[in-house]
Amino acid sequence: MRIGVPKEIKNHEYRVGLVPSSVSELVARGHQVLVQRGAGAGIGLNDSDYQAAGAHLADDAAQIWTDAEMVVKVKEPQATERRLLHEGQLLFTYLHLAPDPEQTRDLLAGGATCIAYETVTSPSGGLPLLTPMSEVAGRLAPQVGAHCLEKAQGGRGVLLGGVPGVAPAEVLILGGGVAGSHAAAIALGMGADVTVIDRSPEVLRRLYQQFGTRLRTQHSTRDAIAQAVARAELVIGAVLVPGAAAPRLVTREMLGTMKPGTVMVDIAIDQGGCFETSRPTTHAEPTFVVDGIVHYCVANMPGAVARTSTFALNNATLPFVLALADRGWRRALQDDVHLRAGLNVHAGQLTCRPVAEAQGLEWVSADGLFG
């Protein structure tokens, strides 16, 4: 199979779809890999590293999109990239379609087969290709939140861990899944006073077993969230409904009860955000203020630590890339129900129910097509 790796063009996105060691694995199995020049430069991977692994270099992205049977990326294709997709081509990347009707329309019109990292499942019920980036985003959230709490950044001027004689900041984490639990670990390590709210008793029990009484846990209700955000100085939104738009848990009205300069970090922004006042931002302009509350809503948070993120992501994606290349995507989808769950778009048809429900579109089951 001819596999293409274009350079990412989203704002301040330095991750890359395949690292040289992944290229080497594909080449050893007889596949051809075409990598755009400079694709890995942002994380210290030189063109010569890719050539040594057996890749061919392309001078521009157009060559990648024209020649490749499968395109492996990190972020969703931008508008200029979507125009280059063509019928019969396979796209393997993060898509996050539920809050993005424009991208959905373009992918349906393009006729390509699009598999989204974030909806591939595992036998245990997890999301193995979303997990590494959720881990990174969760660990980043207290770090960026602490920075935004500095007075010069518009925050309350509060040190997350406090000092002897001065109380630490109160951190509220909405959602105790992968991102939320990693955020809790870092916030506790920084000395903050941390509460996690989740609707699942099993999640709350797991958090108690993991952190003990250092971490406060609370069952999720509207009243519980409203009371907790009024106390907090840093709110981290880490809720996830796989493939679907994130629920809006913090309303505009609640902002009026919060302390001026409180910071809200919305990890769920890729799926539309879990704060009513959220809108996507970039690493170039990461924050905005609504009613005195600082919002950090960067839609590619893990790109801030692009080298760590790229290698973590490749560790997870490589087995699936190999399966798609070795068997061909049709056979790979037939053989693996968990990879098949990642199929979002095929030949002008939407195959992901949560996306269809979020946008009021018709859909067909991937199981019916390839099961």
Side-chain angles (χ1 to χ4, degrees), residues 117-131 178 240 242 338 341:
Y117 292 162
E118 71 272 10
T119 59
V120 173
T121 59
S122 71
S124 64
L127 301 170
L129 305 190
L130 185 62
T131 292
V178 174
L240 173 69
H338 302 293

Side-chain angles (χ1 to χ4, degrees), residues 169-329:
E170 289 204 31
V171 176
L172 171 64
I173 301 171
L174 300 176
V178 174
S181 61
H182 279 262
I186 298 303
L188 287 169
M190 295 174 76
D193 190 349
V194 185
T195 299
V196 175
I197 290 181
D198 196 283
R199 65 181 181 179
S200 166
E202 289 77 15
V203 167
L204 299 179
R205 291 189 188 99
R206 174 179 53 77
L207 291 170
Y208 178 79
Q209 291 170 352
Q210 181 177 357
F211 297 108
T213 55
R214 292 189 302 147
L215 177 71
R216 287 197 301 272
T217 58
Q218 192 169 359
H219 187 263
S220 180
T221 64
R222 287 181 57 85
D223 286 345
I225 293 171
Q227 293 173 26
V229 297
R231 297 191 303 268
E233 282 141 324
L234 170 60
V235 180
I236 296 172
V239 296
L240 173 69
V241 180
R248 298 299 180 93
L249 299 183
V250 178
T251 65
R252 176 71 178 265
E253 183 181 5
M254 291 179 190
L255 266 59
T257 69
M258 299 169 71
K259 305 167 187 174
T262 293
V263 173
M264 301 204 302
V265 176
D266 198 341
I267 297 176
I269 192 63
D270 273 329
Q271 294 294 129
C274 60
F275 309 141
E276 184 180 358
T277 45
S278 289
R279 57 176 172 80
T281 61
T282 67
H283 288 292
E285 297 182 35
T287 63
F288 60 92
V289 178
V290 177
D291 296 345
I293 307 303
V294 179
H295 293 58
Y296 178 100
C297 304
V298 174
N300 57 331
M301 279 183 69
V305 287
R307 187 175 176 90
T308 296
S309 297
T310 294
F311 281 93
L313 182 58
N314 264 238
N315 291 343
T317 58
L318 180 59
F320 295 96
V321 173
L322 292 173
L324 290 165
D326 289 347
R327 297 183 230 162
W329 62 265

